[in-house]
Amino acid sequence: KELSLAYRPRTKIIDTSAELFQEAKGLEQWADIRNMQEASRVIDILTQYQIESTKEVKPAAISASMHRAKLVEELNHLQKDIASISETIEALRVFQKYRPIMQQMKNLPDRKKKGFAEKFSNELEKYREAGTKLKAAYPDGKVPSEENLIKKRNEMIQQRDKSNSEYKAVNSELKDIDYARQAIDDYLKTQDVSQEQKRKKGDLE
């Protein structure tokens, strides 16, 4: 099934088939000049993106649209992974910060553990919560070092920035090609109507 493009940008093509233009030749000539200028802009767009014929415009727009959708999906995944690894880094920092307190409690005689646990209940709770998060992220217990996690996150951020730049370029390309596509359609419709009006006028004469 062929993909369709629902987006229809407004172009600067002037419809000269209206009665106003038919009654005022000077106005019609002005509109024709403006339309030719717009046609020149469309040609520049097609040349920029190496589109060699009007038949290639719609496939090019669909291809750019699919590329953009793929990049959006990739960016969403990257952002989710970056947020996840950031949470893991924070959990690891909390775990390491309060680990000495847990170790200290374990080394105490049983009769002193209760009082110690009450005194450091807040710190020990944070330690356990961080440990739970790390266990969920790494069930095998092999948690990477903070240095390696930060390195991995930085790589993800670089990839996100690269993909984001690519997205902006593709989005700009799609807007240009979509505009060219719609301008061509509008111009051809205007020409078809104009030719039909001239034919009918000739028949009447």
Side-chain angles (χ1 to χ4, degrees):
K1 185 179 178 181
E2 185 183 32
L3 291 173
S4 60
L5 294 160
Y7 177 62
R8 295 176 62 87
R10 293 184 63 180
T11 70
K12 294 181 180 179
I13 296 295
I14 301 170
D15 184 359
T16 57
S17 64
E19 186 177 345
L20 173 66
F21 291 98
Q22 300 305 312
E23 294 177 351
K25 289 299 178 183
L27 191 60
E28 184 181 9
Q29 289 176 354
W30 170 82
D32 286 340
I33 292 171
R34 293 298 297 269
N35 282 346
M36 283 189 289
Q37 290 173 340
E38 195 63 10
S40 177
R41 178 189 172 190
V42 169
I43 291 171
D44 288 343
I45 291 172
L46 301 186
T47 302
Q48 179 182 351
Y49 297 109
Q50 299 180 335
I51 299 172
E52 297 180 356
S53 71
T54 55
K55 291 180 181 180
E56 296 178 13
V57 175
K58 187 175 180 180
I62 291 174
S63 177
S65 181
M66 291 175 66
H67 189 185
R68 183 179 67 174
K70 183 180 179 182
L71 286 168
V72 167
E73 185 179 358
E74 181 181 328
L75 283 165
N76 287 337
H77 280 305
L78 279 168
Q79 193 57 44
K80 185 178 178 181
D81 289 343
I82 290 168
S84 178
I85 201 169
S86 293
E87 289 179 5
T88 301
I89 290 169
E90 181 58 28
L92 182 58
R93 286 172 177 170
V94 171
F95 185 83
Q96 291 172 336
K97 180 179 179 179
Y98 296 117
R99 188 176 184 180
I101 296 176
M102 176 59 77
Q103 292 296 329
Q104 188 178 349
M105 187 180 73
K106 287 181 178 179
N107 294 331
L108 289 173
D110 290 343
R111 59 188 174 81
K112 291 186 177 182
K113 286 182 179 179
K114 184 178 179 181
F116 185 91
E118 290 175 353
K119 182 179 179 180
F120 293 98
S121 60
N122 187 47
E123 290 84 351
L124 292 170
E125 181 62 26
K126 289 179 179 179
Y127 171 83
R128 293 188 184 96
E129 287 178 357
T132 300
K133 289 179 181 179
L134 292 173
K135 186 67 176 176
Y138 299 94
D140 60 2
K142 296 179 181 178
V143 182
S145 66
E146 181 179 338
E147 182 182 357
N148 285 337
L149 287 170
I150 291 173
K151 182 181 178 182
K152 186 176 180 181
R153 181 176 63 180
N154 288 340
E155 289 172 353
M156 288 180 181
I157 290 172
Q158 288 178 357
Q159 181 58 47
R160 180 197 62 188
D161 292 345
K162 181 182 176 182
S163 295
N164 193 47
S165 296
E166 187 177 352
Y167 167 82
K168 289 178 180 178
V170 171
N171 195 48
S172 178
E173 176 184 350
L174 179 57
K175 285 182 179 180
D176 286 344
I177 295 175
D178 253 343
Y179 185 89
R181 174 179 59 84
Q182 192 60 50
I184 291 168
D185 287 346
D186 291 348
Y187 182 76
L188 291 176
K189 286 176 184 176
T190 297
Q191 292 302 302
D192 288 343
V193 173
S194 180
Q195 291 298 323
E196 181 64 19
Q197 287 176 339
K198 289 178 181 178
R199 186 188 65 77
K200 288 182 178 179
K201 186 178 179 180
D203 289 345
L204 290 173
E205 293 173 350

Coordinates of all heavy atoms in Angstrom, one line a residue, residues 45-75:
I45 N 14.4 24.2 -5.4 CA 14.2 23.2 -4.4 C 14.5 21.8 -4.9 O 15.3 21.0 -4.3 CB 12.8 23.2 -3.8 CG1 12.6 24.5 -3.0 CG2 12.5 22.0 -2.9 CD1 11.2 24.7 -2.5
L46 N 14.0 21.5 -6.1 CA 14.2 20.2 -6.7 C 15.7 20.0 -7.0 O 16.2 18.9 -6.8 CB 13.4 20.1 -8.0 CG 11.8 20.2 -7.9 CD1 11.2 20.0 -9.2 CD2 11.3 19.3 -6.8
T47 N 16.3 21.0 -7.5 CA 17.8 20.9 -7.8 C 18.6 20.7 -6.5 O 19.5 19.9 -6.5 CB 18.3 22.2 -8.5 OG1 17.5 22.5 -9.7 CG2 19.7 22.1 -8.8
Q48 N 18.2 21.4 -5.5 CA 18.9 21.3 -4.2 C 18.9 19.8 -3.7 O 19.9 19.3 -3.1 CB 18.3 22.2 -3.1 CG 19.0 22.1 -1.8 CD 18.3 23.0 -0.8 OE1 17.4 23.8 -1.1 NE2 18.6 22.8 0.5
Y49 N 17.8 19.2 -3.9 CA 17.6 17.8 -3.3 C 17.8 16.7 -4.4 O 17.4 15.6 -4.2 CB 16.3 17.6 -2.6 CG 16.2 18.6 -1.4 CD1 15.4 19.7 -1.4 CD2 17.0 18.3 -0.3 CE1 15.3 20.5 -0.3 CE2 17.0 19.2 0.8 CZ 16.1 20.3 0.8 OH 16.1 21.1 1.9
Q50 N 18.3 17.2 -5.6 CA 18.6 16.2 -6.7 C 17.4 15.5 -7.1 O 17.5 14.3 -7.4 CB 19.8 15.3 -6.3 CG 21.0 16.0 -5.9 CD 22.2 15.1 -5.5 OE1 21.9 14.0 -5.0 NE2 23.4 15.5 -5.7
I51 N 16.3 16.2 -7.2 CA 15.0 15.6 -7.8 C 14.9 16.0 -9.2 O 14.8 17.2 -9.5 CB 13.8 16.1 -7.0 CG1 14.0 15.6 -5.5 CG2 12.5 15.5 -7.5 CD1 12.9 16.2 -4.6
E52 N 15.0 15.0 -10.1 CA 15.2 15.3 -11.5 C 13.8 15.5 -12.3 O 13.9 16.0 -13.4 CB 16.0 14.3 -12.2 CG 17.4 14.2 -11.6 CD 18.3 13.1 -12.3 OE1 17.7 12.4 -13.1 OE2 19.5 13.0 -11.9
S53 N 12.7 15.1 -11.7 CA 11.4 15.3 -12.4 C 10.3 15.4 -11.4 O 10.5 15.0 -10.2 CB 11.2 14.1 -13.4 OG 10.8 12.9 -12.6
T54 N 9.2 16.0 -11.9 CA 8.0 16.1 -11.0 C 7.5 14.8 -10.5 O 6.9 14.7 -9.4 CB 6.9 16.9 -11.7 OG1 6.6 16.2 -12.9 CG2 7.4 18.3 -12.0
K55 N 7.7 13.7 -11.2 CA 7.3 12.4 -10.8 C 8.0 11.9 -9.6 O 7.5 11.0 -8.9 CB 7.4 11.4 -12.0 CG 6.5 11.7 -13.1 CD 6.7 10.6 -14.2 CE 5.7 10.9 -15.4 NZ 5.9 9.9 -16.5
E56 N 9.2 12.4 -9.4 CA 10.0 12.0 -8.2 C 9.7 12.8 -7.0 O 10.2 12.4 -5.9 CB 11.5 12.2 -8.6 CG 12.0 11.3 -9.7 CD 13.5 11.5 -10.1 OE1 14.1 12.2 -9.3 OE2 13.9 11.1 -11.1
V57 N 8.9 13.8 -7.1 CA 8.7 14.7 -5.9 C 7.9 13.9 -4.8 O 8.4 13.9 -3.6 CB 7.9 15.9 -6.3 CG1 7.6 16.8 -5.1 CG2 8.7 16.8 -7.3
K58 N 6.8 13.3 -5.1 CA 6.1 12.6 -4.1 C 6.8 11.5 -3.4 O 6.9 11.4 -2.2 CB 4.7 12.1 -4.6 CG 3.8 11.5 -3.6 CD 2.5 11.1 -4.1 CE 1.6 10.6 -3.0 NZ 0.2 10.2 -3.6
P59 N 7.5 10.6 -4.2 CA 8.3 9.5 -3.6 C 9.4 10.1 -2.7 O 9.7 9.5 -1.6 CB 8.9 8.8 -4.8 CG 7.9 9.0 -5.9 CD 7.4 10.4 -5.7
A60 N 10.0 11.2 -3.1 CA 11.0 11.9 -2.3 C 10.5 12.4 -1.0 O 11.1 12.3 0.1 CB 11.7 13.0 -3.1
A61 N 9.3 12.9 -1.0 CA 8.6 13.4 0.2 C 8.3 12.3 1.1 O 8.5 12.4 2.3 CB 7.3 14.2 -0.2
I62 N 7.8 11.2 0.6 CA 7.5 10.0 1.4 C 8.7 9.4 2.0 O 8.7 9.0 3.2 CB 6.8 8.9 0.5 CG1 5.4 9.4 0.1 CG2 6.7 7.6 1.3 CD1 4.6 8.5 -0.8
S63 N 9.8 9.4 1.2 CA 11.1 8.8 1.7 C 11.6 9.7 2.9 O 12.0 9.2 3.9 CB 12.1 8.8 0.6 OG 13.4 8.4 1.1
A64 N 11.5 11.0 2.7 CA 12.0 11.9 3.8 C 11.1 11.8 5.0 O 11.6 11.9 6.2 CB 11.9 13.4 3.3
S65 N 9.8 11.6 4.8 CA 8.8 11.4 5.9 C 9.1 10.2 6.7 O 9.1 10.2 8.0 CB 7.4 11.4 5.4 OG 6.5 11.3 6.4
M66 N 9.5 9.1 6.0 CA 9.8 7.8 6.7 C 11.1 8.0 7.4 O 11.3 7.4 8.6 CB 9.9 6.7 5.6 CG 8.5 6.3 5.0 SD 8.7 5.1 3.7 CE 9.3 3.7 4.6
H67 N 12.1 8.7 6.8 CA 13.4 8.9 7.5 C 13.2 9.7 8.8 O 13.8 9.4 9.8 CB 14.3 9.6 6.5 CG 15.7 9.8 7.0 ND1 16.7 10.5 6.3 CD2 16.3 9.3 8.1 CE1 17.8 10.4 7.0 NE2 17.6 9.7 8.1
R68 N 12.3 10.7 8.7 CA 12.1 11.5 9.9 C 11.4 10.7 11.0 O 11.8 10.8 12.2 CB 11.2 12.7 9.5 CG 10.9 13.7 10.7 CD 10.1 14.9 10.3 NE 8.7 14.5 9.9 CZ 7.7 15.3 9.7 NH1 8.0 16.6 9.7 NH2 6.5 14.9 9.3
A69 N 10.4 9.9 10.6 CA 9.7 9.0 11.6 C 10.7 8.1 12.3 O 10.6 7.9 13.5 CB 8.6 8.3 10.9
K70 N 11.7 7.5 11.5 CA 12.7 6.6 12.1 C 13.6 7.4 13.1 O 13.9 6.8 14.1 CB 13.5 6.1 10.9 CG 14.6 5.0 11.4 CD 15.3 4.5 10.2 CE 16.4 3.5 10.7 NZ 17.2 3.0 9.5
L71 N 13.9 8.6 12.7 CA 14.8 9.4 13.6 C 14.0 9.8 14.9 O 14.6 9.8 16.0 CB 15.2 10.7 12.9 CG 16.3 10.5 11.8 CD1 16.5 11.7 11.0 CD2 17.7 10.1 12.5
V72 N 12.8 10.1 14.8 CA 12.0 10.4 16.0 C 11.9 9.2 16.9 O 12.1 9.3 18.1 CB 10.5 10.8 15.6 CG1 9.6 10.8 16.8 CG2 10.5 12.1 14.9
E73 N 11.7 8.0 16.4 CA 11.7 6.8 17.2 C 13.1 6.6 17.8 O 13.2 6.2 19.0 CB 11.4 5.6 16.3 CG 11.2 4.3 17.0 CD 10.9 3.1 16.2 OE1 10.7 3.3 14.9 OE2 10.7 2.0 16.7
E74 N 14.1 6.8 17.1 CA 15.5 6.6 17.6 C 15.8 7.6 18.7 O 16.4 7.3 19.8 CB 16.5 6.8 16.5 CG 18.0 6.7 16.9 CD 19.0 6.9 15.8 OE1 18.6 6.6 14.6 OE2 20.1 7.4 16.0
L75 N 15.4 8.9 18.5 CA 15.6 9.9 19.5 C 14.8 9.6 20.8 O 15.3 9.8 21.9 CB 15.2 11.3 19.0 CG 16.2 11.9 18.0 CD1 15.5 13.1 17.2 CD2 17.4 12.4 18.7

